[in-house]
Each structure stands twice: as structure tokens, then as C-alpha cells.
Amino acid sequence: MDARLHWAGEFRADPLADDTIASIVGAWNSDSASLNTEQFERLAEVNGLLTTWVTNGDLLNWPPTELGRTATPHIVKALKTYLDAGVNLPEWAQPDEITLAEEVFFESGPISCAILFCASLPECYVLPDLADVLHAAGQLEKHTDYRVRSTAAMIFPVM
């Protein structure tokens, strides 16, 4: 297998995102020594712009007017094209199934989270290897409430 990582090659995970980044940064391979400063600067600008994407509502009228004075127009245009294309569901999506899943979560989401917090999480903590990691990180004794809240903070947006 070729050690070079090409944007159009077999390592693609999200074609829309991959193509967007390739249009901004250009091609490179997996050898970080071959990356140039300009490519890293473009990536840093992209990362900075992504930090303005805090809520879904922020994306509706992105980019904000003030970005026009500070951001590279080519990068803003590529990210705007990405957002515009990303609004559409992929061809394989089944809108009726998505609607049903939303209804199930609205009806059962809170109780399923309560079950997770009161049963599943504690039961996972009795597994020796996992419990050792959580103990070493202080997640069991010192940050229990944070651990539970962070789980909810992941579940609700994903669902």
C-alpha cells in the first residue's frame, strides 16, 4: 500500500469535508515533514473559523459580516459551500425513519438517560480495567457529577 495519503485516495471518510479541506489546503501526504507552513496556516485559519460555529443557528447566516475583514475569502467561500451542501440529507437517508427515531427519543429519551445514569454507568465502573482508568483520572471520586453531566451533554445533541 502506498504510504502517501491522497485526498482522493482510499483514506476518505467524509467526501464533502475531505473535498472542502483539499480545496483549502491542497494535496499532501502522511509525512508531516512534507507539509509546508502555508498549509498549516490555512488549517489554523479553518480551525479558528470553526470555533465561530457554536450553535446550528450560527450556521444559518454564516459567515458573519465582520469575517469579511479578517478571513481569507477563498477559505470562507469553501466553508460556506460546505455548509450549503451539508444542509441536504445524503441519498441513503430515510426521512421517515429519522422522524420515527426523533419521536422515540422525545418519548423515551429522558427515561433512557436516567437508566443510563442510574444503572449502566455504575455497572460499567465495576469493570476492573475501566474502573482503574477512571480512578486514576479522578473521574469516580472527584468528578462524578461532571462525568454524568458530560454523558448527558453528549447524548442529547447526538440524539
Side-chain angles (χ1 to χ4, degrees):
M1 175 163 72
D2 186 4
R4 297 177 64 85
L5 190 151
H6 301 280
W7 289 111
E10 62 190 74
F11 296 103
R12 293 171 58 92
D14 180 341
L16 178 58
D18 292 342
D19 291 343
T20 300
I21 294 301
S23 74
I24 294 169
V25 177
W28 69 29
N29 64 38
S30 60
D31 176 16
S32 62
S34 70
L35 300 179
N36 63 48
T37 302
E38 185 178 333
Q39 288 175 309
F40 278 115
E41 288 171 354
R42 288 186 206 148
L43 279 178
E45 183 173 345
V46 168
N47 287 332
L49 292 170
L50 293 180
T51 64
T52 68
W53 298 0
V54 178
T55 68
N56 288 340
D58 294 339
L59 303 180
L60 293 175
N61 296 311
W62 197 88
T65 310
E66 63 270 8
L67 278 181
R69 293 186 296 273
T70 60
T72 305
H74 169 73
I75 293 175
V76 171
K77 182 179 178 186
L79 292 176
K80 178 64 175 159
T81 300
Y82 170 79
L83 290 174
D84 291 344
V87 168
N88 302 312
L89 288 174
E91 293 178 18
W92 51 262
Q94 299 174 342
D96 293 341
E97 297 293 321
I98 293 171
T99 300
L100 178 61
E102 289 173 341
E103 291 171 5
V104 168
F105 183 72
F106 281 126
E107 291 175 13
S108 305
I111 191 68
S112 64
C113 286
I115 291 168
L116 176 67
F117 301 150
C118 297
S120 299
L121 285 174
E123 288 180 18
C124 288
Y125 289 156
V126 299
L127 298 172
D129 292 338
L130 179 59
D132 289 344
V133 170
L134 293 169
H135 173 70
Q139 295 297 311
L140 284 178
E141 299 90 352
K142 299 176 188 170
H143 305 289
T144 307
D145 58 331
Y146 173 79
R147 179 83 172 118
V148 170
R149 283 195 315 266
S150 64
T151 300
M154 184 247 343
I155 291 172
F156 281 93
V158 169
M159 295 307 291

